[in-house]
Structures are given as C-alpha cells and as structure tokens.
Amino acid sequence: MDDRFDEPETDASDTLALLDPALAGSTRDFVGGAHADLRERPRAFHDWLVLRRERGLHPYARTLQGPPGPQARLAQADGSLASGLNFSSQDYLSLSTHPAVHAAATEAIQRWGVHSAGSTVLAGNVGDGDRLEQELAEHLAMPHVRLFPTGWAAGYGLLRALVGPEDHVVMDQLAHNCLHEGARAATRHVHLHRHLDVAHARTLLQRIRARGGQHGILLVTEGCFSMDADAPDLAALQALAHEFDALLAVDVAHDLGSMGPLGQGQPGLQGVHGELDIVLGSFSKTLAANGGFVACREAALAEYLRYYAPTTTFSNTLSPVQIAVVRESLRLVRSAEGLQRRDALMQTVLALRQALHWQGLEVLGQPSPIVPVLLGPTAQARRIARALPGQGLLANLVEYPAVALNRARMRLQCMAAHTPAQALEAARRLGRAIAEAAPPESVETAHMGMDTAEA
Ligand SMILES: Cc1ncc(COP(=O)(O)O)c(C=O)c1O
C-alpha cells in the first residue's frame, strides 16, 4: 500500500474517464487483495494495459532505437515508432556517447573481459572496483565508499542493512521507492515527514526520542527529488540528525556530477560537501552506467554493508565494463570539460524552464536536469502524452501513484548535448500537444455542471 500521499477521494478527471475507460484507473488498482489463483491479479492488470495500448494511452515500456541523444526514435509498446526531440533519457552530461568513455569500455573488455564472476563477498571483485571506490570517495570527500549493482540496490541495501527491527526511519514522504522499500523491509517504525519540511521532521524525531529507549534513527532524504526537482535544506537536516543522535542519509542520484560547479551535487551547492553522515547514489543518471554506491565516514560501516546489505552480498558485483565507464565518466565530471558540459546543461535547463513559462505552463521545482511540468488530472495528462509524439517530442509522463493524484506531470530531462534552441522548440511542441488534447467541449460543460452542483 502506498501511503506517501494524503489522497482526495477521486481523480478530478473522472468525467473524461467516463468517456474512455482507458483514461481511468492506475497501477495501484492491481496491488493487494486476496486471489485464490495467483495469476488473477496480473491478468486483470494485463487487460487494463492492453486497453490503454489499443487507445494509444500507455506511453511506457518504450525502447530507444539508438543512443540517448537529443534526437531519438522510440519503439512504443503498441509497435509504432515515435521520433523527435528527446527529453526522455537520463544521460545528463551526455557521457554515454563520449569517445573517451567508449575507449575505456573497450580497453576494460580487453583487459578484464565483460563479466564480474561473483559477489563482492566472494571473488567477484574486479581489480579496478577498488580504485573506483577510492576515486568516488575523493570526489565526495567521504572516507569510504561501497559499490552496489544499481542505485536502487544501494538505497534498499543501506536501509535493510543498517536499520534493525527496533530502530526508526524518518524519511521525506517523496523519497525514492528504493528508500521506502528498504525502510519497510527493515522496520515497522517508518515515519514520513512532509516533503522538505524540516520542522515536521523535528516533530517526528522529538516524538520518537520522547518515548525513551535506545533506538537508532536514520533520517533519509534526497539531494534533488526526481519528480519535483526540488531540494531539502541539507545543513538543517544534518544538524537535526546530530541533535537527536540520528544519522542522516542523502540520495544524490540526480545531482551528483550534473549539478554544482565541481559536480558535487546539492551537497556542494549547499556548502555541506563532505560533511554529511552518509551519501548514496546512482551512476545511471550522469555517469553513463548502471550501478550505485554508498559513501560513509567509517570503515566499519562500509565493511558491514558488504556482508549485510543483501543487494550486494547476494548479488554479483559491477562488471569491469561498468566500472571502467564510471571511472572515465567521473574523470570527465571532474575535468574542465565536465564544467563546460554542466554549463551547457544548465543553459538548456534555464531556456526550457523559461520557454515553458511563456507557454503558460507550471514548471515545478528549481533548475536541475529534471524539468517537471504539471499537467494535473491523470486522464487529461494521458491524452497529452498521446498527442506528444505527433508533435515530435519525446518525454515521460508521470502519473499517480508515482506522484500524487491530480498532480500528473510531464517530466523532461535535459542533457549537455541539447541546445537552448531545442529547449525552446520542445516547449512549443508540448504547448501544441496540450492544445490538441484539450477535452471536448461537452466534457468541459459537464465539469462546469459538477462544479456548480458542488457549490
Ligand atoms: C533518488 C533515486 N535513487 C535511486 C534511483 C535508482 O537508481 P538506478 O537506476 O541506478 O537503480 C533513482 C532512479 O530512478 C532515483 O531517482
């Protein structure tokens, strides 16, 4: 059960959904409930999926037909091809196509082969993994780093390993799924604080400590929230953690490498680089490979994770190719070229946000590689997403329960290889898709009727 949002009873787009059942429902409808036949729930979900696909209203599970450049082609779930300006990929500094990164991958294949043949606990470590841990530690100004197979595995593994059943987790309600899942797997004592609300986090911590007992507390947040492009006050949260004898863990998946003059992410931007208790993240947004990490202050914790974080203990370690790609990407992130790429990225971000405002659209959060545009009720958002490829724009629809009900959004993600001109064009194309998907007049009238009836 997803308890991150205080939900209103219904989605405001119910009237539209009456016209077309493919506009109704969410993935949440297919979770839970008892079924004598375990195949029942997936079948019901599949029927709903097929209906959405047939109506062109399922813009997910698409396949990129080439590298993630500013122009791209996507094979859609219904078999059709969508092509155009690509704001749907996570490759913030465009390093996945960098010749030096490709050369590092090729060299690693020749030297080590393509596979890590075991878990880090056994003999799976590839020579350069240790060097990557050291280089990351240096970049983060944290003494110790442990690698994980993915960013998700890092978040889940950290919480599952560090937090015991009697301990407490206090977490931003919009924290990533890996953190929620890890917290729930670790303890019943999970407390969600209102998004970015330090005062609310304090109230929860006070309550926990007022009960007495010797419980550990992990305070958990993100550097840049992936659906909202906003950031918490990290210094205030770190001070709060110290005050209540808790540890703070910050997931910098989206900001590390892509933000801040030196690529130090939100910790660097906010002047707390190297000062947080635990920093974790992913390589998959900026460092051009799958993989993740946890950085901490004590060798004991880093070693503990190797043996107690199930997502690394019982999983093969990163492949030599992934390690080489991340090492080279990190070298670029820290170089003068990295600085130039971050500048280019930020110019596109600022141009896009400005152009979306000119279109009269509500852009959420602060300038970051993630540019979320609020669309509102799910049904209308699905219609807009259907119109988008026709306008030559590729971007990701995010709908409930990934975000709150009636807060569906189009998430555009920028890359260093985009130009500000492409950003202006993308905003125009989104504006045209929104106009094209405007609800039929009869529905608007019905809505007005409903509003009047309620008044
Ligand atoms: C905050 C956060 N943490 C972790 C992850 C997972 O990272 P990965 O794709 O490396 O598993 C993501 C990506 O969606 C994320 O946004």
Side-chain angles (χ1 to χ4, degrees), residues 91-365:
D91 184 18
Y92 298 149
L93 292 192
S94 298
L95 294 178
S96 75
T97 47
H98 196 294
V101 173
H102 288 197
T106 308
E107 202 186 308
I109 291 175
Q110 280 155 6
R111 185 157 176 219
W112 307 104
V114 293
H115 184 46
S116 74
S119 144
T120 174
V121 166
L122 301 174
N125 303 303
V126 196
D128 281 347
D130 288 350
R131 291 172 77 179
L132 174 57
E133 287 183 343
Q134 284 159 17
E135 288 156 2
L136 263 171
E138 201 180 303
H139 183 60
L140 293 159
M142 299 283 285
H144 304 283
V145 167
R146 174 97 303 126
L147 299 177
F148 281 79
T150 65
W152 195 96
Y156 181 91
L158 169 69
L159 274 111
R160 184 74 182 75
L162 186 56
V163 176
E166 301 306 321
D167 297 328
H168 293 249
V169 176
V170 176
M171 181 156 60
D172 191 301
Q173 67 182 132
L174 298 191
H176 190 263
N177 168 275
C178 61
L179 304 166
H180 280 271
E181 297 274 356
R184 279 198 218 112
T187 177
R188 290 180 293 122
H189 308 297
V190 181
H191 316 261
L192 302 184
H193 70 76
R194 284 189 293 271
H195 185 46
L196 306 184
D197 190 337
V198 178
H200 191 213
R202 163 180 285 280
T203 305
L204 295 174
L205 287 162
Q206 263 165 345
R207 266 188 219 148
I208 296 165
R209 285 299 182 217
R211 282 184 215 155
Q214 290 295 308
H215 311 304
I217 307 178
L218 188 64
L219 181 56
V220 182
T221 192
E222 291 183 22
C224 172
F225 281 85
S226 58
M227 301 299 172
D228 296 75
D230 50 12
D233 182 339
L234 293 175
L237 286 174
Q238 184 59 82
L240 201 60
H242 286 165
E243 186 185 335
F244 287 92
D245 213 6
L247 286 180
L248 174 70
V250 182
D251 188 336
V252 294
H254 290 274
D255 44 311
L256 184 73
S258 68
M259 294 183 75
L262 302 173
Q264 295 165 345
Q266 280 294 342
L269 279 170
Q270 295 190 29
V272 289
H273 179 64
E275 291 174 16
L276 304 173
D277 292 329
I278 298 172
V279 175
L280 62 148
S282 162
F283 304 139
S284 67
K285 325 294 172 193
T286 301
L287 297 167
N290 287 358
F293 68 90
V294 174
C296 54
R297 317 209 70 82
E298 292 179 25
L301 174 53
E303 208 50 37
Y304 190 79
L305 292 176
R306 194 198 294 281
Y307 293 90
Y308 288 92
T311 46
T312 181
T313 314
F314 301 104
S315 191
N316 263 27
T317 195
L318 288 178
S319 81
V321 183
Q322 289 169 304
I323 289 170
V325 164
V326 177
R327 286 191 69 211
E328 183 58 21
S329 296
L330 187 60
R331 190 191 66 74
L332 288 162
V333 157
R334 305 184 76 191
S335 70
E337 183 180 341
L339 184 64
Q340 281 165 7
R341 283 176 180 253
R342 277 186 295 281
D343 276 352
L345 169 66
M346 196 43 81
Q347 278 175 32
T348 294
V349 168
L350 295 174
L352 181 59
R353 294 181 70 93
Q354 183 64 64
L356 290 163
H357 283 302
W358 287 333
Q359 293 287 332
L361 297 171
E362 185 176 346
V363 186
L364 304 176

Side-chain angles (χ1 to χ4, degrees), residues 349-410:
V349 168
L350 295 174
L352 181 59
R353 294 181 70 93
Q354 183 64 64
L356 290 163
H357 283 302
W358 287 333
Q359 293 287 332
L361 297 171
E362 185 176 346
V363 186
L364 304 176
Q366 299 147 14
S368 85
I370 301 164
V371 181
V373 183
L374 189 67
L375 300 178
T378 308
Q380 183 53 14
R382 282 183 197 160
R383 287 163 55 86
I384 294 165
R386 178 170 60 185
L388 212 54
Q391 296 296 339
L393 179 60
L394 310 175
N396 287 311
L397 172 66
V398 190
E399 55 181 78
Y400 176 79
V403 291
L405 210 53
N406 293 317
R407 302 275 299 171
R409 62 208 62 176
M410 195 60 70

Side-chain angles (χ1 to χ4, degrees), residues 409-423:
R409 62 208 62 176
M410 195 60 70
R411 187 170 72 161
L412 290 91
Q413 284 170 293
C414 298
M415 300 183 275
H418 283 126
T419 62
Q422 286 171 328

Side-chain angles (χ1 to χ4, degrees), residues 20-24 44-58 382 386:
D20 187 342
L23 292 171
F45 170 71
H46 187 251
D47 290 347
W48 178 69
L49 212 62
V50 168
L51 180 71
R52 283 186 66 177
R53 271 190 214 140
E54 283 171 359
R55 301 280 299 115
L57 290 164
H58 184 73
R382 282 183 197 160
R386 178 170 60 185

